[in-house]
Structure formats: C-alpha cells, structure tokens
Amino acid sequence: MTQEKKMTLTTKVIMGMGLGIAVGLIINLLGLNAGNFIGDNIVNGLFASIGMMFVTALKMLVVPLVFFSLISGVMGIGDIGSLGKVGAKSFALYLLTTAIAITVAITLAVLSGIGEGVNLPTVTAFTVKEAPSLSSVLINIIPSNIINAMAEGKMLQIIFFSILTGISILMVGKKAEPMAELIEIANEVMMKMVNIVMAAAPYAVFALLAKAIANLGLDLLADLAGYVVVLIIALMLHLFVTLMGILKIFSGMSPFIFLKKMRETQVFAFSTSSSNATIPVTLRAVTERLGVSNSVASFTVPFGATINMDGTAIMQGVATVFIANAYGVELGMTGYLTVILMSVLASIGTAGVPGVGLIMLSMVFTQVGLPVEGIGLILGVDRLLDMIRTAVNVSGDAAVSVIVAKSESKMDERIYNDPEAGILTDENLGIDEAAEQELAEVVQETHDKS
C-alpha cells in the first residue's frame, strides 16, 4: 500500500500506455477487434467509453481554465506593454519552429526518395475541404457572441475576450479588486479540478491506446512503411534536436530536465491526439513542473495549441514529397520553397479550424499542382501518426513557454531544476484517505444535526 502511494502519476500513465499498446496488439493480431463479444463490447464498448469520458472531461475543463487562467495571467503581468512583448515573442517563435520543421521534413523526405515506385490505387476517396481566407480568420478572432464562442470552443475568440477582460480589470483599478480576487480563486479551483480528472489518467490512457491499436493494427504501417518511417524520424528530429536546441540556445535551460518533466504531458497528447484537449495538462506541467509563471503560460499554452503547427507542417512536407514521387511529379526547388511558405502562412490562416491538417495539405497540393486525391493514400495511417504529431506539438508549446518566460524574468528556475516539483501522487491529488475521512465526518455530523 505504501509503495503504491509513492508511485507517481507519470509512472502509472506510462504503465497504462505500455499495457494499452500490448493489449491492443494482441486483440488485433487475434482478429478480435470487431464482429465478436470482445470487439463489440470490450474494445468499441468499454474501452471506447472510458477513453471518451476522459477526453470529454479534459475538454470540459479547457474553456473555463483558459478563461480564468488567462485573465489571471494578464493581471499578473500588470503591464499592457509587457503583454504585447509576450505575444510578439510567442508568435515569432511558433512561426520559426514551424518553418524549421517543414524545411527539415522536406530535406529528409527528398534524400530518402520515398514514394518512388509505389503502386497507386486507381480510386482514392478524399473530399477537399475549403480553406478559409486569412482575412476571414482575422475577422473571426473577435467574437460576436462570447457565450457561443465558449460553447463551440473557439480558442482564438476566447483568448481575445479573456485578454480584453484582464486589461479592463487592470484599467478599472481598485474597484475591480474583488472581481480580480474572485478570478484568482476560480483559477485555483480549476487547477484543482485538473488534478482530480488526472487521477483517472492511467486507466483512460490504457483504454484509449488499447482501442486505437486494436482497430488500427500494424498492417497499414507496413503498406506505407517508407512514408511512416520518414515522418516519424522527422518528428523525432524536430523534438529532440530542433526544439531542444532552440530551448538551450534561447533560454539556457537543460533539455534533459525538460523532456523528463514533459513525459506525462506527451503521453496524454499521444493518447488524445488533441492539443486543445491536452491544454489543462500542458498548463499544469508548464507552471508546476517547469516553473513558468501563470502570467506567461496562460497565454503561450492556449495560443500555441491553436497556431503551433510543427507536427502538421512536418506531415505536409513528407506527404508532399511522397505523393509527388508516387505520381512522378517533379516539384523542383521553387515547388519546395512554395510548400514551405504555404505551410507557414497556413498555420496562421487555418488556426483553430476543424480538420486543419487536411485543409492545409489540400491547400499545399493545389498550390504546387499535385492531385488532391493523393491525400486519400495516407489517410489510413494518419490517425496513428497524428498521435505522435500532437505529442511533438505540445512539447513545442511548452518549450516556447519556457523561452518566453525566461526572457521576461517570469520563471522560477528552482522549480525547473527540482525533480520533485509538481509531481502528482495519490497523496497530493486531493483524494487522499485523510481528506476522505474528514469529508465523511462532516457528512455524518450534518446528518446527525438534521
């Protein structure tokens, strides 16, 4: 019992991930993923329900957490000029990492020659999604109805309104102090709620991965082995070389400590395949594990989840070379430069749009003259690869948060360098035995009085 209490949440989540992958593979190899009791009731019933409940719980926290945390962050900065610097630095770093990501991806894909000699199917199913114009995206940053924006999870609109609210509270001054205090309390409550939801994480991660691997299997990976391997290598290079290099150069902080403390968040991102759903976990890790001030993290994390497209940009670069080689189309240097420019611009223009990866890829294909139906070739493996892309994306969000916080002197290096800082165990999840006993006594006392 004592040993279990000492086990950290990160360890439990990684165990859940390993078991989930193993169970999923066994079910898939035995052909039990559909049309039988295990497939219909366990994989697509129990596992699907547990996983979806957890993801839905995380999504439930996103809007109130971003809203209260960002307002609290703006008030914490206390200076509109400093807020502008944080925004400008974050935006520039996100664009820089995206540009580097797709450049490395295209270079690696061209050198490997993936797609050459691939036997293409005669029919591929893919429906082109219309990409919004940059002007419409900029206009839509301002919400006409903030309640509707919150209900639909439109992150840029929520960020805009939250920043405006925080600035207004600062301008009102002393009269708004009660409201400011209430928002600070609400922010603390939301962070505690994140801890409560995370108590179920090991079981949810197991269920999510068991279901995904059971249904996907490894057959699809074998059919597109060259594309899959090059894409994974490009993603790993970006995470371990590019992002960690930028982190070390611009902040001087240890990449090894960063990667160790981000493991838990990366597993969450891998399991959910959603940067937005992972916002509560990323925000907690960045502030409590890495020591970034909430005044910075509350802006950089949701902003990064919305516009940071490193993983998607890498997928675009590798997919473009793969499809071009498969169809025998010579893009040349001009074509590759166009892909790089389009990807960087599209990361802004399609921010927060559902199916953003496919929208951006169809835009790139159209621009360089590749058949858009070629996207249908890679759709089968995209779900699994999207899990890895999301883990890379949230790592980029956290790295930029550390860099910006360090440059603004809004970071506690003692927390960053403390291996025990922010670790969640059963004792500090807010659900320990002492708290349960105290709650039971209060309930019993209330019952006796009534």
Side-chain angles (χ1 to χ4, degrees):
M1 188 71 172
T2 307
Q3 187 176 358
E4 185 181 349
K5 283 199 169 189
K6 288 183 179 179
M7 189 181 293
T8 66
L9 185 68
T10 302
T11 304
K12 291 181 179 180
V13 166
I14 292 174
M15 288 174 61
M17 175 177 135
L19 285 173
I21 292 173
V23 169
L25 277 175
I26 292 171
I27 292 173
N28 182 268
L29 292 173
L30 294 176
L32 301 175
N33 55 316
N36 52 67
F37 177 82
I38 292 179
D40 296 341
N41 296 284
I42 305 297
V43 176
N44 298 307
L46 179 63
F47 290 170
S49 298
I50 293 174
M52 188 52 65
M53 287 169 66
F54 178 73
V55 173
T56 304
L58 284 177
K59 289 181 177 179
M60 169 188 74
L61 300 175
V62 170
V63 171
L65 181 62
V66 170
F67 179 68
F68 291 121
S69 182
L70 192 46
I71 295 175
S72 177
V74 172
M75 293 187 300
I77 290 177
D79 176 27
I80 299 175
S82 297
L83 179 64
K85 286 195 293 181
V86 168
K89 289 178 181 178
S90 304
F91 186 68
L93 283 169
Y94 285 134
L95 289 189
L96 173 65
T97 57
T98 300
I100 295 174
I102 191 165
T103 302
V104 171
I106 288 176
T107 303
L108 193 63
V110 169
L111 293 175
S112 65
I114 55 169
E116 296 174 357
V118 172
N119 294 319
L120 297 176
T122 54
V123 179
T124 53
F126 178 74
T127 304
V128 180
K129 299 185 179 184
E130 185 179 351
S133 64
L134 180 57
S135 60
S136 66
V137 171
L138 292 175
I139 292 170
N140 288 331
I141 288 176
I142 303 174
S144 58
N145 185 330
I146 188 57
I147 303 300
N148 180 65
M150 289 181 170
E152 296 185 4
K154 295 179 178 177
M155 202 52 60
L156 285 179
Q157 295 189 2
I158 296 168
I159 290 172
F160 178 87
F161 183 79
S162 301
I163 291 174
L164 193 61
T165 303
I167 291 172
S168 300
I169 291 173
L170 287 175
M171 293 175 71
V172 170
K174 193 170 183 179
K175 286 184 180 179
E177 284 181 0
M179 184 177 182
E181 186 176 350
L182 181 62
I183 288 171
E184 293 283 359
I185 294 171
N187 186 43
E188 288 185 25
V189 170
M190 291 309 305
M191 290 304 295
K192 178 58 70 175
M193 203 176 293
V194 171
N195 290 353
I196 294 172
V197 171
M198 285 175 68
Y203 314 102
V205 167
F206 166 81
L208 284 165
L209 289 178
K211 174 184 177 292
I213 301 299
N215 288 328
L216 290 172
L218 299 177
D219 294 340
L220 285 170
L221 298 183
D223 293 338
L224 294 169
Y227 170 75
V228 171
V229 169
V230 171
L231 182 51
I232 291 176
I233 290 174
L235 287 167
M236 294 301 100
L237 275 175
H238 185 69
L239 172 59
F240 294 111
V241 179
T242 304
L243 287 178
M244 294 305 97
I246 289 175
L247 175 71
K248 184 65 178 178
I249 291 169
F250 287 99
S251 72
M253 307 306 294
S254 168
F256 300 104
I257 294 176
F258 176 89
L259 289 170
K260 185 177 180 180
K261 292 195 171 188
M262 283 298 294
R263 278 185 308 184
E264 181 183 295
T265 307
Q266 289 165 346
V267 172
F268 276 112
F270 182 81
S271 305
T272 61
S273 299
S274 171
S275 295
N276 275 356
T278 314
I279 285 175
V281 185
T282 309
L283 194 56
R284 195 200 75 83
V286 167
T287 53
E288 298 183 17
R289 295 283 282 145
L290 299 176
V292 174
S293 168
N294 181 66
S295 61
V296 172
S298 60
F299 177 82
T300 55
V301 170
F303 189 50
T306 308
I307 76 160
N308 181 25
M309 300 292 177
D310 291 356
T312 304
I314 290 171
M315 180 270 287
Q316 285 175 32
V318 176
T320 300
V321 176
F322 176 74
I323 297 300
N325 287 342
Y327 279 96
V329 177
E330 181 63 42
L331 293 179
M333 184 58 69
T334 303
Y336 292 131
L337 289 174
T338 302
V339 173
I340 294 172
L341 180 61
M342 283 288 297
S343 298
V344 174
L345 293 177
S347 68
I348 311 167
T350 54
V353 178
V356 62
L358 296 180
I359 291 175
M360 291 169 67
L361 193 54
S362 62
M363 288 169 60
V364 170
F365 276 23
T366 302
Q367 188 68 29
V368 296
L370 289 177
V372 176
E373 61 267 20
I375 296 176
L377 290 173
I378 59 175
L379 280 180
V381 295
D382 193 64
R383 173 67 178 84
L384 191 57
L385 294 172
D386 186 37
M387 299 164 79
I388 305 175
R389 293 201 302 266
T390 307
V392 173
N393 282 343
V394 299
S395 302
D397 298 343
V400 168
S401 299
V402 170
I403 293 168
V404 173
K406 186 72 179 347
S407 69
E408 293 291 316
S409 300
K410 294 284 184 179
M411 181 175 174
D412 191 335
E413 294 187 36
R414 291 173 302 175
I415 293 178
Y416 187 97
N417 293 314
D418 180 3
E420 303 297 322
I423 285 182
L424 283 179
T425 59
D426 290 346
E427 286 90 340
N428 57 21
L429 273 170
I431 53 171
D432 59 9
E433 292 179 5
E436 288 179 352
Q437 181 62 33
E438 186 178 344
L439 179 61
E441 291 174 359
V442 171
V443 171
Q444 184 61 47
E445 184 179 343
T446 305
H447 179 268
D448 293 341
K449 287 182 179 179
S450 60

